[in-house]
Amino acid sequence: MTSSHASAGGGLGRGGRVVAVLGPTNTGKTYLAIERMLGHRSGMIGFPLRLLARENYDRIVSIKGKNAVALVTGEEKILPPNPSYWVCTVESMPLDRAVDFLAVDEIQLCADPERGHIFTDRLLNARGMVETMVLGSDSMQPMIRRLVPKAEFISRPRFSQLTYAGYKKLTRLPPRSAVVAFSATDVYSIAEMIRRQRGGTAVVLGALSPRTRNAQVGLYQAGEVDYLVATDAIGMGLNMDVDHVAFARIVKFDGFAPRRLRPAEVAQIAGRAGRHMRDGTFGTTDEVGELDADLVSRVENHEFETVKALSWRNSALRFDTPGFLLKSLEERAPIPELSRVREADDHLALQALVRDPEIMDLARGRDAVKLLWEVCQVPDFRKVLSDAHTKLLAQVFRSLRGPLRRLDDDWVAKQISRLDRTEGDIDALVARIAHIRTWTYISNRPTWLKDPLHWQERTRAIEDRLSDALHERLTQRFIDRRSATLARTLKDGRSLLGGVRADGEVVVEGHVVGRLEGFRFVPDAPDRSDEAKSLLTAARRALRDELAKRLRAFEAEPDDVFALGPDGVLSADDLPVARLAAGPSVLTPLVVPFDEGMLDQAQRERVRARLDRWLKDHIAARLKPLFALSAAEGLSGPGRGVAFQLVEGLGVLPRAPVAAMVEQLEREDRRTLGRLGVRLGVSHLYLTALAKPAAVSLRGLLWAVSKGHPLPVPIPPPGRVSVEAPSVKDGGAPPAFWEAIGYPLAGGRALRVDMLDRLETELLTASKANAPIREVALGQRVGLSAEELGAVLSGLGYVRAEGEDGAVTWKRKRPQGQRQGNRQRRERPTNEDHPFAKLRQLSGM
């Protein structure tokens, strides 16, 4: 048996009595544990959710005062100078602190395939000096007896009765019902149906932030709506006045495959019905039908199969090298009752990072390996270990191992600022909240940032703003108070007869109610009036089959039907259907279908998927050289770096910031880049093939969408190699925009990058030959008048000089204060073939 398991016995001797308080939901277990803790001089309690920890922290503070209580979660820490009581998430319990009393809630999560190893470790190793208490389901009793032989047991009966009530249609569910499904798509679909039929519902999903979840539950608790649609997120930690729980689905995806809910899981969720002494009921919707009689009996009588094995992961980790760390994580469980956990997110992140040679080179020594493991434990609250999250972890680790030994404030500010936006739909806000929660977690690592308190406040404030915006969107979408009147009028259940005439007029029950343009309904009533909403509801119900038919036709449309306008609007047959929004990168914008109220979430997703396929093909065709460069093989490290930054810059890159990288390019790199159309110009690197008007226009649109810049953007007319560029102060576009479309700014003009390169090359050649400049001829070759040429050259940093013989020369100014730096650069070995090296020789630098 390993030390991590053997220490459980030692913990018993050291920690006094161990008590297991077991029973179903609504038995007062948590209340008992807190009451016991507050009877000791010091204590610590671990909860499974940040939401629960915060709720009970507030409760204990109201009894003991703020100075006596600490809150510790991955995303939030409130630490008074000398707290007596610690309220934590189970993962964040500071077990190095000795306390008289220690408790762990929901101990049955020891069997959870994702987080169970943490709970198992606490069961085996976490002890209070005087008393330890674990709380959870009766199904854990045999396993606790086996692993903690000296444990005492307290059984808690349920305060109220839970009774099966059969199945009902969604439209027949009684008020104060919670409807349960297991995917966001199902939750949204059911919520929209209840909105149409009953006027509105609150929505709860695991992906919601605690603040949003509480706000939605608040709507339900205040009686503004009589229904709640939720995932199994309500199964733990939400105490509500629910009379009935209806399962709209009885199958869930567990991370590997769909499976039916186990009886204990049904009971955990159904147990939300009835609180304290008030009885509750549970049942299903008509899509599920009747539950099995044996399942019903088990739930009503709290008779469940006992837990046979607990999830386990070795906690005695070796930090000599990343390899030893991986090996210790993969150690087999010491006894049959413990089952090694499937690879958790932190383990998968470590496996991904050690494949990076640079990371391995930085992870030398125990302290460095420990730091790498801490970085791997930064959670991705989107619940998907994506390449983007792995790259973020790699960047964090490199920064923490860099000269500063902390994260750069400017870099952190840039990452966080991208998330400080409250526009967008529900999915966009949910994604931003997941991202900012990751940064909140990072900000709570005090040694990783120069001013962690500043970043903690900043990330919490952003999360609060996003959460409030999400609550507002959910309320707008799923609570339609005005349409409730129509819903009650049509409550007799008769199907509405309706159709669409050839000219687009919508007729319901013989009356014209509006027009249908694509998927957009235009009611025959004042915009946003009560009447308009009622007509929309009638049209939505009457045209269900028509919309389904149109959607099938839309998905089968050929590509030439679709178009992307300069304002970022996607259209089909000239009818606007969606818009672009900022996505993961500048080349991968999001498609956001217009929500006109006619399509449900699943139908909008089908519209989005069809447009997304077209958009990807459209961008790839228009910007083919960029994608070819992105996929280039055989480049060295500097070559890949140049290629990556060129792709990020939409095919144009100022040379100065990457001059050192360019000088390191090998001959084969230059050949490869040249074959791909990359020009290593005097002041810019660029892709020559992207100067075509269609490519320029698309690059401008993608840049503007990515940066949130107003649309449309000022694209130079086809064939023009230079245009006047007003300053930002005068309403013009910023310099970054002109760079992105391949028209860098100089002297108040935007000059096409190949022409700019041609101009600077000719100046370099003339300077090398000590030849005069013929300004008129030079200007004509790059599409500029002599006056415009002078302004451009001055903007580029050149100074005009005229000799006694009238010969004109232009030489680049040398910035003040750089002579010493230039002398130092001259002393370093340089690439003598580099254009800047030639220019330095010719100008005497």
Side-chain angles (χ1 to χ4, degrees), residues 370-426:
K370 283 183 178 179
L371 177 62
L372 177 61
W373 181 233
E374 289 178 20
V375 171
C376 289
Q377 291 175 301
V378 173
D380 182 359
F381 287 97
R382 294 168 298 174
K383 303 301 182 186
V384 290
L385 189 66
S386 65
D387 288 343
H389 186 66
T390 305
K391 289 177 182 176
L392 171 64
L393 299 185
Q395 181 61 48
V396 168
F397 182 69
R398 282 193 292 265
S399 297
L400 295 176
R401 291 290 294 160
L404 294 176
R405 288 296 194 264
R406 58 176 172 79
L407 302 181
D408 178 72
D409 280 355
D410 290 340
W411 179 71
V412 173
K414 183 179 179 182
Q415 304 302 312
I416 290 175
S417 295
R418 292 174 178 170
L419 304 173
D420 195 6
R421 296 181 292 115
T422 56
E423 72 274 11
D425 61 8
I426 290 171

Side-chain angles (χ1 to χ4, degrees), residues 574-588:
D574 297 323
L575 291 173
V577 289
R579 61 175 178 83
L580 297 188
S585 73
V586 68
L587 289 173
T588 54

Side-chain angles (χ1 to χ4, degrees), residues 8 276 498 708:
H276 198 55

Side-chain angles (χ1 to χ4, degrees), residues 26-62:
N26 190 23
T27 59
K29 297 185 294 293
T30 304
Y31 183 88
L32 173 65
I34 291 176
E35 187 178 56
R36 289 290 301 167
M37 181 175 75
L38 298 184
H40 289 273
R41 289 180 303 172
S42 62
M44 181 184 302
I45 185 167
F47 292 100
L49 299 174
R50 172 189 172 194
L51 183 76
L52 271 174
R54 182 72 206 214
E55 179 182 298
N56 284 287
Y57 164 80
D58 292 337
R59 175 181 162 195
I60 296 170
V61 163
S62 69

Side-chain angles (χ1 to χ4, degrees), residues 335-348:
I335 57 175
E337 289 85 355
L338 303 178
S339 174
R340 189 171 76 84
V341 69
R342 68 191 187 198
E343 292 170 340
D345 286 351
D346 51 8
H347 192 170
L348 293 171

Side-chain angles (χ1 to χ4, degrees), residues 84-134:
S84 299
Y85 304 102
W86 297 76
V87 182
C88 319
T89 49
V90 173
E91 285 86 346
S92 300
M93 295 172 75
L95 299 178
D96 56 335
R97 290 189 171 270
V99 291
D100 289 344
F101 176 90
L102 185 144
V104 179
D105 197 14
E106 304 291 359
I107 198 65
Q108 73 276 4
L109 287 177
C110 285
D112 183 76
E114 292 184 11
R115 302 170 63 204
H117 62 284
I118 302 291
F119 286 78
T120 300
D121 181 74
R122 303 299 183 257
L123 174 65
L124 297 177
N125 301 317
R127 295 291 181 267
M129 292 188 295
V130 177
E131 183 177 6
T132 300
M133 185 175 284
V134 294

Side-chain angles (χ1 to χ4, degrees), residues 727-750:
S727 67
V728 175
K729 184 173 66 175
D730 295 330
F737 162 74
W738 296 106
E739 289 275 359
I741 67 170
Y743 279 74
L745 292 181
R749 298 194 69 79

Side-chain angles (χ1 to χ4, degrees), residues 522-647:
V522 182
D524 186 23
D527 188 30
R528 299 183 181 180
S529 66
D530 291 353
E531 184 184 4
K533 288 185 175 292
S534 298
L535 295 178
L536 174 62
T537 303
R540 187 190 297 120
R541 186 182 300 183
L543 300 180
R544 192 172 298 150
D545 293 339
E546 171 66 23
L547 289 169
K549 184 176 73 173
R550 289 192 175 208
L551 183 54
R552 288 192 296 270
F554 178 88
E555 291 175 310
E557 292 280 16
D559 283 352
D560 58 6
V561 165
F562 303 109
L564 175 61
D567 56 355
V569 171
L570 290 152
S571 59
D573 282 329
D574 297 323
L575 291 173
V577 289
R579 61 175 178 83
L580 297 188
S585 73
V586 68
L587 289 173
T588 54
L590 299 180
V591 173
V592 182
F594 291 130
D595 185 4
E596 305 293 351
M598 294 297 286
L599 300 180
D600 61 29
Q601 176 71 14
Q603 290 172 323
R604 279 194 298 275
E605 174 58 25
R606 289 167 63 186
V607 171
R608 188 206 62 77
R610 176 64 185 99
L611 292 172
D612 192 60
R613 290 196 303 273
W614 176 85
L615 181 64
K616 282 183 169 63
D617 292 341
H618 178 73
I619 294 174
R622 291 283 182 93
L623 304 181
K624 187 175 181 180
L626 270 184
F627 288 85
L629 179 60
S630 178
E633 297 181 352
L635 291 171
S636 67
R640 291 196 305 273
V642 168
F644 174 80
Q645 293 199 49
L646 260 174
V647 172

